[in-house]
Amino acid sequence: MQRDFQEPARCRPDLVIGREEVFAQAREQLARGGSVLLHGPAGIGKSTVLRALAADNGGSARTVLRCSATESESHLPFLALADLLGLVLDEVSGKLPAAQRTALESALTGRGESTLQRDGLALRLAVLSALRALAAEGPVLIVADDVQWLDSASAELLGFAARRLGDTPVRMLCAVRTEGQEYDRHLRASPPDTLALRVNPLSRTQVSELLGHRGYTGLPRSTVRDIHRTSGGNPLFALELGRALSENPTPPRPGEPLPVPTSLRTLVLNRLEMLSDEARRTLLVASAGARPTPALLRAAGRENAEAETAQAAALGLLATEPEGPAVRFAHPLISAALYAEAPAHERRAAHAALSKAASDPIERARHLALATTGTDPDTADSLAEAASLARDRGAPSVAASLGLLAARHTPAEGDPDARRLQAAEDAITAGELDLARDIARDVLTRATVPADRVRAWIIVIDTAGHAMTEVDSVFPQALADAGDDPQLLALIHYQLTWRAVLVDGDFDQAREEAAHSAALAARAGDRYNELMALAFQAQIETLMGHPNAPATIKRALKEPQDPRVSCHHNGAGYSRFRWLIMSDQLAEARATVTALLREVQRTGAVESEVHFLRGVAETELRSGHCGRALDLARESLMMARDTGIGEVASAVLTSLGEASGGDVERALELAREAVDHAEEDGDQMYVSRALTALGYAQLVAGDAEGTVRSLRRVRELEQGLGITDPARGRWQGDLAEALVRTGELREAKDVIDVTREQALRLGRESVLAVLDRAEGLLRAARGEHEAALAQLTSVQDRLAKLGYGLEEARTAFALAQLRTRRPGPTSYDEAARLFRRCRALPWLRQVDAATVVPAAEPEPPAAPAPAADALEGLAAMERQVAALVMEGATNREIAARLFISVKTVEATLTRVYRKLGIRSRVDIVRLAAGRRTK
C-alpha cells in the first residue's frame, strides 16, 4: 500500500508552462532511480516543476516524504526532519537500534534521553537507518522544496544520509534557490547520482501563455513584451505584474512604463498598503516567527490574528492551507520584504512578543536575543542554556550559532570569549572546521587569559586533522601561553603525542610526550586528561613491544576512574584489549572487547562502537571463526563509511576477513584502496597495516611475488616506526612462507631468525608457532623432508592448544602437501575438515584444487606451446577459472563452483586475457585444444 506523507497543500499546478525540457530530463532521471536537484533564482518556477514531478512520480513510490521550509523556520533544529519523518516514526522506530531510536525520537519530539546523541553520530545513523527501513518495504521518494531554508541540523542529517544510501531505493527530488550557478554545496549534500537542472527564465511567448492560463487575458502584445522585460522572464514577477495591471482600471498607454515598480519587494509593499495597520503588524510578527500559527500570533498580542491573516490571504500575501494550522506566506520574498522594510524598533518589538509566546526554549532565546540591543547578562545566559539544549539534542551547528549570540550579549566581565570557544568546539563537532578555526583565531587576537588562549590553540590544532604539519608553528606559541600551568601544559603535550605518531612516526618520542602529559595532568588534579594520556601511552608501548606496557595499563585502570574514559576507544579498556590479544589471551580478549561493545551500544557512543566492532571481529578471526569475523568486519566497514570514522582501519580488517572467509578478489580490492587512502593521508602506521592485509590476500590468491613485494615494504615501515612486537601485524610468517615459494631461502631464514628473537623476548607463543611452520616449509624446500614433517606436526598441535583455528588448519594443509608427492582426495581430509570448521572458504577452495589428480597423458608433448607455458604461470585462482572455461562452463557456473561472484569471475578472466595475450574465452579453449593435440 502506498503512503504519501504530504506537506499542507498549496496551489496545485495544473500545467507546467515553458518547462517541458526540464520536466522531461527530470522525469527520465527519476525513472532510472536517480535523484534531481532543481535550482534557480527566487520565483523562477522551481516549486511548480517540483510539485508536477512529485505528482507524476509519486505513484511509483511506496512512501513519499515531503518538507518545505521557510526562512523564518531555518533556525529551529530538526523542523524539516519532523516534517519528513514525523508521520513514519511509529513505523520505523521498532526497526532501529535502541540508541538510534532514542536519538531520533528525542530530535523529533524534544523529549527522551537526549544526552545519547551529544556527538550527533547516533542521530545521523538513525536517519540513515530509518530511510533504509522504509526502502526495505518499497521505493521512497523525498520531496524537499526551498532547500536553502532547511534548518542546518536537518540539512546536515539529510545530506549525511543521502551520501551513504548507495543502491538503496530512495530518490530525492529537491528545489533550491540560487543565483548564478552556486548550487554545488547543495549538490554535495545530495546522492552521488543527482542530476542538477537549472530552471531558466521564460520566453516572451511562454510568459504570454502563463498570463493567459492564470486569467490575465486581453493584454496587448506590447504590454506582454513589457511584462516580460520587466520581470526578466521570472514567472512569479510576471504574474504579480499581471495582477497589478489587471487591478488597474487605466491601462498604460503604449510606450509608457508599467505603472508598477520593477522589483517584487516594492510590488509587495504596494499591496501591503491595502492592509490595515493592525493587519500589517500581525504579518510582521508572522514574518519574524518560525512556523507561526493563529494561536502563536494571539499569544504574541495579536488578538484579531484570524481576521487579519484572512485579509492578507485575500490579497494573495498568504497561502491558504486548509490542511495545516501554520500561517505561510505565498512566497518567502514577501515575508523577507515585509521584515526588511519594517523599522528596527518594530522588528525588536515583534521579537520581544514572540520571546514570551514561543513554546520552544531555543526559539524563545533566539527572539530574546533579536529583541535586545547591547550586552545583557540574562539574555546571554538564556542563549547559553539554549545552546546547551541544542547540543544535547544532537544539533551542534545550532548550538554554535546560539553560542555566538550568547557571546555577543555577554558583558566583558562575563568572559564572552569562553562562550565563543564553546561555540567553536560545537562547530568542530558539526564539521564546520573553518568556522571553528576563525572563531579561535579571532579570540587569539585579543584574549589575555592563558586558559582561553590555550583552549583556542587546541581548537586550531584540532581543526588541522591529520595535516598537523600545517600547525607546527602553533605549538611553541601554545606552550608559551601555558607558562608553567600543569593543566594547560598537559593538554598541549597530549596533542604533541599525536603529532609524534602521525607526523614523525616516532614512537619513542610519542611515549615520552604521553607520559609527560599524564604526569602534568596528575599534578594539576585533572584525572580525565591523566587517564587519557596514560591510555595513549599504554597503546604506544603495546605497539612498541615495550616491557612497561602491562604496568602502564594497570595505572590507567586504577581508581578513581572517569566514566568518560572507561569506554572511550582511546581509553584504558581498549588498551588492555590490545595487550591481551597480542599476548595470545584470546578468551579474555574476547570477553573484554565484547563488554566494551555492549556498553557503547547501550550509550550510543558510535565512534567507539566502530572501534570495538573491529576488536571483536579481529578476535574471532584469530580464533578461526572466519564467517563470524567477516560478518562483523563488514558491519564495521558499513558503519565506518556511514559515519566517516575509521574507514581505512575497517577496510583493512574486512580485507583480512574476506581473504580468510569470503572473496579473495574483494580482499585485494579493499586492501589496495586502504593503501591508497592511508598514503594520501600520510599515515605511515596505516600504510603498514593496509600493506599487511594486501600481502596476506596476495598469498591466499597464489601471488607469492606480490606478497613478497608488499610485506617487504611493511618490514621497512615498521623498522622506521620503531615497532618491534611481531604480534602487532603478524605478517612475518607470511613473508617467510612467500619467500620460500619464490625460492629466496636465505632471506626467508633471516626473517624467521630476527622475528623469533623478538617473539621470544616478548613471549609471543602463536608468533613462534607460525615462524616454526615457515621454517618447516623452508626445510622441506631444502630437502629435509622428515625434519619438516616433524616440525609441522608439532606446530599444528601447539596452534590448536593456543586456540588459533585458522593457523592450525593452514598447518594441516602444509602437512598434507608434504606427506605425498601425488596427492589424492583422501590426503587432505584433515585440512578440509579444519577449514570447513573455520568456514575458511578461500582456503577450502585451495584444498579442493589440490585434490584434483590430473589424468595421465600417454605421450606428454615434447615442447609445449608458448601459450600453454603461460597458462601454467597463472595464479591459482586464474588457473582454476581458466580450467573451467576450457570445460565449457559459463561465468555463472564458474562462480557457483568456486564460491565467488560473477563479477570476480569476469575480473579474473580479464587478467587471464592480459597475461596470455589473448582477447576472449574462445582463445582459452583454442589454447587447450592446441595443447592436447600437439
Side-chain angles (χ1 to χ4, degrees), residues 140-471:
V140 176
L141 177 65
I142 297 174
V143 182
D145 199 3
D146 286 321
V147 170
Q148 75 278 358
W149 299 134
L150 288 185
D151 62 274
S152 60
S154 295
E156 180 186 1
L157 291 168
L158 199 58
F160 176 90
R163 293 188 297 273
R164 291 163 173 82
L165 285 168
D167 295 332
T168 306
V170 177
R171 296 171 294 165
M172 292 184 67
L173 174 57
C174 304
V176 61
R177 179 190 300 181
T178 58
E179 297 296 336
Q181 296 291 328
E182 74 278 24
Y183 61 89
D184 287 350
R185 66 186 181 93
H186 299 289
L187 195 60
R188 288 194 295 270
S190 304
D193 63 348
T194 299
L195 174 66
L197 294 172
R198 180 169 179 80
V199 182
N200 291 310
L202 299 177
S203 67
R204 188 171 68 185
T205 302
Q206 291 164 344
V207 165
S208 177
E209 183 181 0
L210 175 65
L211 291 168
H213 177 66
R214 294 300 180 92
Y216 306 130
T217 58
L219 294 173
R221 292 176 59 186
S222 60
T223 302
V224 172
R225 183 184 64 238
D226 289 343
I227 290 175
H228 178 255
R229 184 188 68 249
T230 304
S231 69
N234 186 299
L236 176 64
F237 292 3
L239 288 172
E240 292 298 336
L241 290 167
R243 183 200 297 269
L245 287 169
S246 68
E247 293 170 352
N248 189 341
T250 306
R253 290 178 294 179
E256 285 186 347
L258 297 177
V260 289
T262 59
S263 70
L264 179 61
R265 175 176 173 178
T266 307
L267 178 59
V268 170
L269 295 176
N270 282 344
R271 290 169 58 196
L272 286 172
E273 291 177 358
M274 303 175 66
L275 290 173
S276 65
D277 289 343
E278 291 301 309
R280 183 166 178 163
R281 291 192 184 97
T282 295
L283 288 194
L284 175 61
V285 174
S287 72
R291 188 162 290 189
T293 63
L296 178 65
L297 294 175
R298 287 195 303 272
R302 310 312 304 165
E303 297 177 356
N304 299 314
E306 283 89 347
E308 289 159 358
T309 54
Q311 180 186 359
L315 291 170
L317 294 168
L318 297 179
T320 303
E321 297 186 345
E323 298 181 19
V327 174
R328 290 188 179 271
F329 287 86
H331 191 279
L333 284 180
I334 299 173
S335 172
L338 173 64
Y339 185 86
E341 188 67 17
H345 72 276
E346 289 187 11
R347 293 200 297 267
R348 288 197 297 272
H351 285 296
L354 287 167
S355 71
K356 298 183 176 72
S359 59
D360 186 272
I362 294 176
E363 185 179 357
R364 286 199 304 271
R366 172 181 170 272
H367 287 305
L368 183 61
L370 295 173
T372 306
T373 58
T375 59
D376 182 86
D378 292 337
T379 299
D381 289 345
S382 296
L383 285 162
E385 291 174 8
S388 178
L389 179 58
R391 197 175 304 120
D392 283 349
R393 288 186 183 180
S397 180
V398 175
S401 175
L402 291 167
L404 288 174
L405 280 174
R408 184 180 303 169
H409 290 285
T410 301
E413 62 272 16
D415 196 4
D417 282 340
R419 283 176 167 158
R420 290 187 181 93
L421 292 171
Q422 178 62 65
E425 289 163 358
D426 287 329
I428 289 176
T429 303
E432 300 175 19
L433 301 184
D434 290 341
L435 173 61
R437 188 183 301 108
D438 290 345
I439 294 171
R441 294 286 188 186
D442 176 60
V443 169
L444 287 166
T445 61
R446 60 177 175 276
T448 57
V449 177
D452 286 349
R453 291 189 62 81
V454 171
R455 190 177 176 186
W457 288 126
I458 296 298
I459 290 169
V460 172
I461 294 168
D462 281 341
T463 57
H466 280 210
M468 296 190 77
T469 53
E470 296 178 4
V471 292

Side-chain angles (χ1 to χ4, degrees), residues 525-608:
D526 184 350
R527 185 61 174 163
Y528 171 80
N529 282 304
E530 179 190 4
L531 292 172
M532 289 296 291
L534 284 171
F536 199 0
Q537 180 184 343
Q539 287 193 49
I540 294 167
E541 289 175 348
T542 300
L543 290 172
M544 295 172 68
H546 197 284
N548 287 0
T552 306
I553 292 172
K554 187 177 292 186
R555 287 177 60 202
L557 290 170
K558 187 177 178 180
E559 295 294 339
Q561 285 291 305
D562 187 310
R564 294 172 295 171
V565 179
S566 58
C567 287
H568 195 282
H569 55 275
N570 284 326
Y574 195 66
S575 297
R576 180 170 180 270
F577 159 72
R578 296 299 328 161
W579 182 80
L580 286 168
I581 198 170
M582 292 173 70
S583 302
D584 298 326
Q585 300 180 54
L586 295 183
E588 194 171 352
R590 181 188 292 107
T592 299
V593 74
T594 301
L596 289 169
L597 178 61
R598 288 199 193 101
E599 181 62 19
V600 298
Q601 286 175 332
R602 184 187 68 81
T603 59
V606 179
E607 184 172 2
S608 293

Side-chain angles (χ1 to χ4, degrees), residues 668-727:
L668 291 165
E669 179 184 345
L670 283 169
R672 289 182 177 121
E673 288 176 1
V675 171
D676 290 343
H677 291 160
E679 287 179 336
E680 287 173 11
D681 293 339
D683 189 337
Q684 296 302 298
M685 193 160 65
Y686 268 103
V687 171
S688 167
R689 292 186 178 184
L691 284 167
T692 297
L694 178 59
Y696 174 66
Q698 289 167 325
L699 185 69
V700 178
D703 181 9
E705 293 87 353
T707 300
V708 170
R709 286 193 301 272
S710 297
L711 298 186
R712 276 175 176 162
R713 282 192 63 196
V714 174
R715 181 172 55 185
E716 293 170 3
L717 285 167
E718 292 203 354
Q719 286 174 348
L721 290 168
I723 297 173
T724 61
D725 191 336

Side-chain angles (χ1 to χ4, degrees), residues 2-52:
Q2 185 204 7
R3 290 92 35 76
D4 188 348
F5 303 99
Q6 299 194 27
E7 65 174 340
R10 296 189 182 186
C11 178
R12 176 175 173 270
D14 295 311
L15 186 63
V16 181
I17 295 172
R19 307 301 185 202
E20 292 81 4
E21 183 176 352
V22 169
F23 187 87
Q25 288 179 283
R27 185 179 187 182
E28 182 179 349
Q29 170 75 356
L30 292 167
R32 288 196 298 262
S35 296
V36 172
L37 177 69
L38 303 169
H39 63 97
I44 202 67
K46 303 179 298 296
S47 297
T48 301
V49 178
L50 183 90
R51 287 192 290 267

